């Protein structure tokens, strides 16, 4: 399995932040494991760490977290849960800190709907044509009234390139992007425009995060919650993850 051009670009965007966010550990055969995984799977490996399970290493890659035996002979890709802590998703927690680092370079390009009395900030990968994205956007005042600031990044579900992506580019490049987003999500036509904002990079960041549908909500601690949640439910989700 070789990296596609798109995945290679994602790797170039996110591999350095993952390295800086991951905690350094002494894994004696780290170099050998990195080489084997890269040659076998075509992934870029940022770091290898001991996992919460004895005899398994936790491997940070441009395709998320992998788990590999210490001798490098066995591997699995999936979520690791803690049965003694209410099925806590340990894989999701491992990705949380790197996600926050990966978001930082994109903050200046986010469309921000700021709460007047801000208590929480969430980042949402959104699509202008997604029904639940539109439902969420229509309740923006409800989120803001609860002290939740919403920050948008683009995730055109039709991919790159596409008419869907072009429409989102027009929103981000509009004279008033916040107004243009509302127009787009209510079925209006946003005048085509171009600027330096790169929608493709936002989309590729979402892929690296594991987004497979919209809306995808990244909480303040880096945990990602898939799907629409009404204002009160989102507040409960945020508070339960503090």
């Amino acid at each position: 399995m070789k990296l596609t051009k798109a995945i290679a670009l994602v790797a170039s965007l996110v591999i350095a932040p993952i390295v800086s966010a991951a905690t350094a550990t002494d894994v004696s055969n780290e170099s050998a494991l990195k080489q084997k995984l890269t040659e076998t799977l075509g992934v870029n490996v940022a770091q290898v760490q001991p996992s919460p399970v004895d005899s398994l290493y936790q491997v940070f890659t441009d395709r998320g977290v992998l788990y590999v035996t210490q001798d490098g002979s066995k591997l699995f890709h999936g979520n690791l849960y803690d049965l003694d802590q209410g099925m806590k998703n340990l894989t999701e927690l491992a990705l949380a800190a790197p996600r926050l680092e990966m978001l930082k370079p994109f903050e200046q390009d986010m469309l921000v709907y700021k709460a007047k009395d801000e208590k929480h900030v969430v980042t949402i990968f959104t699509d202008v044509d997604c029904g639940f994205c539109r439902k969420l956007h229509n309740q923006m005042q409800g989120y803001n009234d609860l002290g939740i600031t919403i920050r948008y990044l683009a995730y055109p579900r039709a991919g790159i390139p596409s008419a869907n992506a072009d429409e989102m580019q027009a929103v981000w490049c509009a004279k008033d992007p916040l107004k243009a987003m509302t127009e787009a999500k209510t079925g209006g036509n946003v005048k085509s425009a171009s600027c330096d904002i790169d929608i493709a990079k936002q989309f590729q960041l979402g892929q690296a995060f594991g987004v497979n549908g919209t809306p995808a909500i990244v909480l303040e601690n880096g945990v990602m919650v898939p799907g629409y949640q009404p204002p009160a439910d989102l507040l409960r989700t945020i508070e339960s993850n503090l």
Side-chain angles (χ1 to χ4, degrees):
M1 292 183 290
K2 296 299 183 181
L3 285 174
T4 64
K5 184 177 181 180
I7 292 297
L9 179 55
V10 173
S12 70
L13 289 170
V14 306
I15 205 74
I18 290 179
V19 171
S20 64
T23 303
T25 56
D26 182 17
V27 175
S28 60
N29 60 337
E30 181 172 1
S31 294
L33 287 172
K34 284 183 176 180
Q35 182 177 352
K36 184 172 185 178
L37 290 170
T38 298
E39 292 177 351
T40 304
L41 302 177
V43 297
N44 282 332
V45 179
Q47 191 166 41
V48 182
Q49 299 178 344
S51 81
V53 178
D54 293 340
S55 79
L56 279 182
Y57 287 140
Q58 182 170 268
V59 184
F60 291 88
T61 81
D62 59 301
R63 296 186 187 178
V65 175
L66 304 176
Y67 296 94
V68 62
T69 54
Q70 292 179 350
D71 64 0
S73 66
K74 305 292 187 300
L75 174 145
F76 77 85
H77 180 209
N79 291 325
L80 183 65
Y81 296 91
D82 192 327
L83 291 172
D84 294 331
Q85 296 190 55
M87 287 292 289
K88 181 181 290 185
N89 188 330
L90 302 180
T91 303
E92 180 63 29
L93 290 176
L95 283 168
R99 283 196 188 112
L100 294 179
E101 289 298 313
M102 293 154 66
L103 281 174
K104 287 180 180 179
F106 290 85
E107 288 180 349
Q108 63 183 5
D109 295 337
M110 295 176 181
L111 303 191
V112 181
Y113 295 82
K114 187 174 177 61
K116 184 176 181 179
D117 183 18
E118 183 180 278
K119 298 182 178 68
H120 307 287
V121 179
V122 299
T123 304
I124 301 178
F125 287 91
T126 192
D127 182 288
V128 292
D129 295 329
C130 152
F132 280 108
C133 297
R134 290 181 170 186
K135 186 173 183 179
L136 186 153
H137 191 79
N138 287 339
Q139 294 179 286
M140 187 64 69
Q141 192 61 53
Y143 297 104
N144 288 169
D145 287 346
L146 292 175
I148 303 172
T149 289
I150 302 292
R151 310 188 304 183
Y152 280 147
L153 285 173
Y155 193 84
R157 295 175 302 161
I160 304 284
S162 67
N164 183 208
D166 292 343
E167 186 177 11
M168 298 196 76
Q169 183 79 34
V171 168
W172 254 259
C173 294
K175 184 176 181 179
D176 185 344
L178 301 187
K179 181 180 178 182
M181 176 64 79
T182 298
E183 289 176 354
K185 287 192 174 182
T186 54
N189 293 318
V190 179
K191 185 178 179 180
S192 179
S194 61
C195 60
D196 292 337
I197 294 187
D198 194 335
I199 295 300
K201 286 186 178 180
Q202 296 184 31
F203 175 72
Q204 290 152 4
L205 180 70
Q207 289 183 312
F209 276 26
V211 174
N212 54 26
T214 53
I217 305 170
V218 182
L219 305 181
E220 294 162 299
N221 62 354
V223 168
M224 190 166 71
V225 180
Y228 160 79
Q229 293 194 18
D233 289 354
L234 180 57
L235 181 61
R236 283 191 287 270
T237 297
I238 293 170
E239 291 176 341
S240 69
N241 279 273
L242 293 177

